[in-house]
Amino acid sequence: MKREILISGTARETRVAILEDDRLVELLVDRPDARRMVGDIYLGTVEAVLPGIQAAFVNIGAEKSAFLHASDLIEAEDEDEPSDHDDDNGNGGGSGGAGGANGGTRSRRRLPNIADELKRGEARIVQVIKEPIGTKGPRVTAQISLAGRFLVYMPFASKVGVSRKIENREQRAKLRDMVSKLVPKDPGAGGWIIRTVAEDLTEQSCKREIEHLYGLWKKIKRKAGSVRAPALLQRETSLTRGIIRDLFSDKVDSLLVDSKVLHTEVVQYLKQIDPDLLERVKLHQSETALFDEYDIEAEIRSLFKPRVELPTGGYLIIQPTEALTSIDVNTGRYTGKKDPESTILKTNVEAAREVARQLRLRDIGGIIVVDFIDMESRSNRDKVLQELRTHLGHDRARTKAFAVSELGLIEMTRQRVRPSLWQSMTAECPTCHGTGRVFRPEVVVRRMERSLKRAGAEHKERQLAVRLHPEVALYLVEQEPNFLRQLERQTGLELEVRDDPMMRLDEFRMMAKPAGRDVTEQYAVA
């Protein structure tokens, strides 16, 4: 598979695009005013302990208190070592190490009583594993992890694990033996995860990284002893460095950067961690913008549209809600040439590939329900599920897809570490308040009519000027030309209609003349 990384940077924004076979599959955006927190390490103060939900709230100096669950206080008892899905989730493997240590086995572990482990007012070192999303504050873990190029160091763990993506048994054993021999032998020295990129790790590089990560943890502990909580102890590396550290390997064909400052940063960082990759780094100097040259800007704009076209004519409708994201699959104009079941299978298989891509691209997390077109054959349903799971295998976030139900639904979950692009790059529409719908002109006119009749019944006003959106005013002129004359006779009011392009489509204003007082709220009705 051809893989490329494009980095476009300005003083106010850095964007990273990841391409597979010339198709955009991931987009990461970092801005100074919306700094990423995942991977940051804090000395926090326990504000409240809630035994009923086995959780605590920790003040780390953020706008909202962080959530700490009892499962994030103890080392995981995974039978298998974490994969690189757990090493990193887009901005530094620090959070991923914690995720790898704690992910997937909570139901099988005996959790401590959180009231026995934490006390109100206690200071505790914690690490952010999930950004604040919506009304929720960040989520933190007490199982700290520090990510390097080849290893993840976990001070409170006790094992040496190997990424599941390294499948060769001999190679796994060799790497485990090398790291076990080189790690500090001090009691409580911590645990280590060997990352996928470490397949060709040399003893010299391994020793250097162990010393660096172990020294970094000592520095964090010293700082924790000299500051007052809440305080930031260690900030996760920048988005650019995180991408280089976690994703850029000999499996990536090229890395293009359009900023001289970022190019210099990338080159200097690679000289330290992997000089052999320098020849794959290029500075984009064309007059055409980097993202324009790869047709990425157009694709970014389409990310916020609910409809996604499929190659053969079918389409997806993606609708995020508060509780989950629903994805509906439709055949559209594709009718096929054979039997209906064959047509439906082809559309569903295509949709499964695109669903996996869109989840990565839009960074959708949480509960996802995909409504595939109903299939009669169990074998066909299994084919669609297998196709989805295969393509989800390329995702760096942890995912789990359940079997296709009799209704053609696939329920799945995807690790949510930060708000989706839809949440982080868009705001609620002040007109529709997030519904995506506004009242039609005829409905606005009926609402206005009821308000004017109330004003006439109270006999407090004699002259009113009504301001409307031009589209609603045009509806009145074309569809109800006698409306004003009839309403004046019914209410005894003198009425004047004015179109106002500054008005919202489903809004109207009633202004008392000649003073020009706004009396809309006084007479407003549903």
Side-chain angles (χ1 to χ4, degrees):
M1 179 188 293
K2 179 184 176 185
R3 298 191 76 197
E4 296 172 285
I5 298 175
L6 313 180
I7 302 178
S8 177
T10 66
R12 302 298 301 170
E13 181 181 68
T14 300
R15 296 184 298 170
V16 177
I18 299 172
L19 280 66
E20 292 178 357
D21 291 333
D22 297 321
R23 296 197 76 196
L24 181 65
V25 294
E26 283 189 54
L27 177 70
L28 304 165
V29 182
D30 198 23
R31 298 190 186 94
D33 59 341
R35 191 185 62 79
R36 293 169 172 235
M37 294 178 67
V38 169
D40 289 354
I41 299 173
Y42 291 85
L43 181 65
T45 305
V46 178
E47 284 193 328
V49 180
L50 308 173
I53 60 171
Q54 280 283 68
F57 286 99
V58 182
N59 178 12
I60 60 172
E63 185 179 342
K64 295 177 181 175
S65 294
F67 180 85
L68 173 64
H69 192 262
S71 58
D72 290 314
L73 289 173
I74 58 175
E75 181 186 357
E77 297 175 356
D78 289 328
E79 295 175 5
D80 297 313
E81 294 81 2
S83 71
D84 272 12
H85 290 203
D86 304 327
D87 289 345
D88 172 67
N89 208 25
N91 187 26
S95 64
N102 299 315
T105 56
R106 287 175 180 158
S107 61
R108 297 200 300 264
R109 286 185 286 156
R110 185 178 182 85
L111 299 182
N113 185 334
I114 198 160
D116 296 335
E117 299 290 327
L118 296 175
K119 303 299 178 189
R120 191 171 183 272
E122 174 186 347
R124 194 70 175 248
I125 299 177
V126 293
Q127 184 172 35
V128 178
I129 56 174
K130 190 174 181 181
E131 301 274 359
I133 299 175
T135 58
K136 299 177 182 177
R139 180 163 182 165
V140 295
T141 179
Q143 285 297 311
I144 309 301
S145 62
L146 302 171
R149 171 71 167 171
F150 307 107
L151 304 169
V152 176
Y153 175 48
M154 305 172 68
F156 301 118
S158 57
K159 302 174 185 175
V160 175
V162 184
S163 167
R164 281 191 291 263
K165 285 190 174 182
I166 300 177
E167 297 176 350
N168 184 291
R169 292 196 174 201
E170 291 183 7
Q171 182 72 359
R172 291 171 66 86
K174 178 184 173 185
L175 288 169
R176 197 193 303 267
D177 290 344
M178 179 198 300
V179 174
S180 298
K181 183 177 68 174
L182 295 173
V183 296
K185 299 300 185 287
D186 308 340
W192 301 81
I193 298 172
I194 302 167
R195 307 184 72 178
T196 306
V197 75
E199 282 182 290
D200 300 318
L201 179 63
T202 64
E203 192 167 305
Q204 183 180 0
S205 297
C206 181
K207 185 178 181 181
R208 184 169 60 243
E209 187 153 289
I210 288 171
E211 290 174 352
H212 166 69
L213 294 175
Y214 197 54
L216 180 59
W217 174 238
K218 287 183 176 179
K219 179 181 174 184
I220 291 170
K221 285 200 297 182
R222 283 197 301 271
K223 187 173 181 180
S226 63
V227 297
R228 185 175 178 180
L232 175 67
L233 300 179
Q234 174 70 21
R235 180 159 286 169
E236 180 54 275
T237 190
S238 68
L239 174 62
T240 303
R241 284 188 171 226
I243 288 294
I244 301 303
R245 180 191 66 197
D246 301 322
L247 291 182
F248 191 43
S249 67
D250 55 9
K251 294 178 182 177
V252 176
D253 296 274
S254 64
L255 185 147
L256 280 78
V257 189
D258 67 1
S259 159
K260 289 183 178 179
V261 173
L262 288 179
H263 180 263
T264 301
E265 180 183 344
V266 169
V267 169
Q268 293 300 323
Y269 187 51
L270 274 177
K271 284 180 180 177
Q272 298 173 32
I273 65 168
D274 204 337
D276 292 342
L277 293 174
L278 282 170
E279 61 183 19
R280 301 183 188 219
V281 179
K282 298 179 178 62
L283 177 63
H284 178 79
Q285 295 178 300
S286 168
E287 291 185 4
T288 306
L290 176 60
F291 276 29
D292 285 340
E293 191 165 302
Y294 282 77
D295 293 326
I296 289 175
E297 294 292 4
E299 186 130 25
I300 291 173
R301 288 192 293 273
S302 71
L303 290 181
F304 307 104
K305 297 177 181 177
R307 180 163 168 148
V308 179
E309 302 295 337
L310 298 176
T312 57
Y315 62 92
L316 309 177
I317 297 293
I318 302 175
Q319 294 285 0
T321 71
E322 185 70 23
L324 52 82
T325 299
S326 69
I327 303 178
D328 187 34
V329 181
N330 300 276
T331 54
R333 67 176 186 273
Y334 178 60
T335 56
K337 297 180 180 179
K338 298 180 181 178
D339 62 288
E341 184 76 2
S342 174
T343 300
I344 290 170
L345 175 62
K346 183 167 184 178
T347 301
N348 280 342
V349 167
E350 245 184 20
R353 296 186 200 118
E354 189 60 29
V355 164
R357 175 174 172 262
Q358 289 294 325
L359 294 181
R360 292 175 67 189
L361 198 45
R362 300 180 184 222
D363 203 8
I364 297 171
I367 299 171
I368 299 140
V369 177
V370 187
D371 184 9
F372 286 98
I373 305 164
D374 291 347
M375 293 170 286
E376 298 292 334
S377 165
R378 166 57 65 181
S379 65
N380 285 348
R381 291 200 289 267
D382 291 342
K383 285 178 185 176
V384 172
L385 179 60
Q386 186 57 44
E387 189 73 17
L388 177 64
R389 286 175 172 168
T390 297
H391 286 269
L392 288 174
H394 302 308
D395 199 334
R396 291 185 293 136
R398 292 192 299 274
T399 60
K400 185 171 185 179
F402 298 90
V404 184
S405 73
E406 294 299 320
L407 294 175
L409 302 176
I410 286 184
E411 298 166 3
M412 63 170 291
T413 60
R414 183 175 184 271
Q415 182 186 24
R416 175 155 48 193
V417 175
R418 60 184 61 86
S420 67
L421 290 179
W422 180 78
Q423 290 171 306
S424 63
M425 295 181 69
T426 66
E428 186 180 271
C429 169
T431 299
C432 73
H433 301 291
T435 67
R437 311 284 292 183
V438 294
F439 288 116
R440 296 167 65 90
E442 54 266 39
V443 177
V444 178
V445 170
R446 297 288 76 79
R447 292 173 63 209
M448 179 186 71
E449 180 181 8
R450 290 191 288 272
S451 296
L452 288 171
K453 284 182 176 179
R454 175 183 283 184
E458 294 191 11
H459 303 295
K460 291 182 180 179
E461 311 295 343
R462 293 187 57 87
Q463 296 177 299
L464 289 175
V466 183
R467 291 162 53 194
L468 301 166
H469 186 276
E471 190 172 323
V472 181
L474 182 63
Y475 167 84
L476 269 182
V477 171
E478 292 183 345
Q479 304 298 325
E480 301 188 36
N482 298 321
F483 171 78
L484 280 184
R485 196 175 306 134
Q486 292 171 356
L487 199 57
E488 283 178 334
R489 285 201 300 267
Q490 292 174 15
T491 62
L493 295 170
E494 292 183 26
L495 301 175
E496 176 188 354
V497 171
R498 299 176 183 170
D499 65 325
D500 184 348
M502 300 301 292
M503 301 293 289
R504 300 198 308 260
L505 188 62
D506 62 352
E507 179 187 29
F508 64 88
R509 288 282 160 197
M510 296 160 51
M511 314 298 293
K513 297 174 64 177
R517 283 182 299 110
D518 188 340
V519 295
T520 311
E521 296 300 323
Q522 186 176 339
Y523 301 112
V525 293

